[in-house]
Amino acid sequence: LLTVFAFSTKAQLLDSVGLANAVEYTSLQDALKEPGKVYKLKLKKQHYTKTPDDVFKLTNLQELTLNKNNIKEISRKIELLENLQMRNLSKNELVAVPAEIGKLVNLKSLILNQNEITSLPAEISKLTKLSYLDLWGNQVATFPEEMSDLEDTLKRLDMRVVSMNEMQQQNMQQLLPKTKIFFSKGCNCNF
């Protein structure tokens, strides 16, 4: 009986329609009242400098938005949210992405635009369901070779407002030949 109960409380991944129709919590305190029922959490403009530890109690969480805060790093505890399908950390102060991001095997959309990210870990290649990656306005100009493992799943990559010369852009397109990559005009820069 105990095994059946444990199995029944494990979240089923919602499809895109189910996730779109799920209740969206905008208060962490409200979400913590019934943590097992929280699939979407949006904590926009809350002046957070890090992801609140209580977020990691929401183990069924599938969409997490923490945009327009002052978050400086992605917590290594992110691996605890194994059901995440969408993560939005745009307009923060991030400079790096931890290797633990590779544990989010259900992640389909990763939005990191308008941060200060300079590189991505090789573990990003483990995100085999990732179809959208938004790095618009970051400082990243090179990628780990392992990213080529995403060539069949990564459909769109936004690299606009990233200082890359034309050769770097060509290298990126060769790394992910099936991916639609959005670039700004190549700069006359050497890195």
Side-chain angles (χ1 to χ4, degrees):
L1 180 64
L2 193 56
T3 304
V4 172
F5 177 76
F7 178 75
S8 66
T9 60
K10 186 168 169 104
Q12 294 293 322
L13 288 180
L14 300 176
D15 62 16
S16 58
V17 174
L19 194 52
N21 292 323
V23 173
E24 180 177 278
Y25 288 83
T26 57
S27 161
L28 185 54
Q29 291 71 28
D30 288 345
L32 290 170
K33 290 175 185 173
E34 294 187 89
K37 294 184 178 181
V38 179
Y39 293 94
K40 290 170 66 171
L41 180 64
K42 187 174 191 176
L43 302 175
K44 180 179 177 181
K45 294 183 181 180
Q46 300 292 313
H47 306 289
Y48 291 121
T49 56
K50 66 176 194 151
T51 302
D53 283 337
D54 284 340
V55 167
F56 303 109
K57 295 176 182 176
L58 308 173
T59 56
N60 294 332
L61 196 60
Q62 295 182 32
E63 184 175 314
L64 177 58
T65 301
L66 285 164
N67 64 321
K68 296 184 180 180
N69 281 286
N70 302 310
I71 297 173
K72 296 178 185 347
E73 67 180 0
I74 298 173
S75 172
R76 297 189 188 291
K77 291 180 185 178
I78 192 63
E79 67 184 318
L80 299 174
L81 300 177
E82 62 187 27
N83 294 316
L84 271 186
Q85 295 187 59
M86 197 284 276
R87 180 78 198 257
N88 184 341
L89 278 163
S90 63
K91 297 184 180 181
N92 276 284
E93 299 173 12
L94 299 172
V95 295
V97 177
E100 287 79 5
I101 198 84
K103 303 275 184 167
L104 303 180
V105 295
N106 293 303
L107 200 63
K108 295 177 182 177
S109 177
L110 181 56
I111 303 169
L112 300 170
N113 67 53
Q114 299 180 60
N115 280 287
E116 301 295 324
I117 297 168
T118 58
S119 64
L120 294 174
E123 289 79 5
I124 200 159
S125 66
K126 295 178 181 175
L127 302 178
T128 57
K129 293 183 182 177
L130 189 67
S131 64
Y132 179 62
L133 177 58
D134 186 350
L135 293 169
W136 182 92
N138 278 280
Q139 305 301 317
V140 63
T142 59
F143 290 83
E145 290 294 322
E146 292 85 352
M147 259 190 93
S148 64
D149 293 348
L150 301 177
E151 76 172 282
D152 290 325
T153 55
L154 189 61
K155 303 296 181 213
R156 294 182 350 183
L157 172 59
D158 196 335
M159 295 293 296
R160 292 175 294 159
V161 194
V162 174
S163 295
M164 295 178 82
N165 61 39
E166 288 182 19
M167 182 179 287
Q168 289 169 314
Q169 290 177 356
Q170 288 171 2
N171 290 342
M172 187 58 161
Q173 194 64 70
Q174 289 173 355
L175 190 64
L176 296 163
K178 298 177 186 176
T179 303
K180 175 66 179 165
I181 304 176
F182 300 93
F183 293 112
S184 293
K185 186 175 186 231
C187 63
N188 290 327
C189 49
N190 293 315
F191 297 99

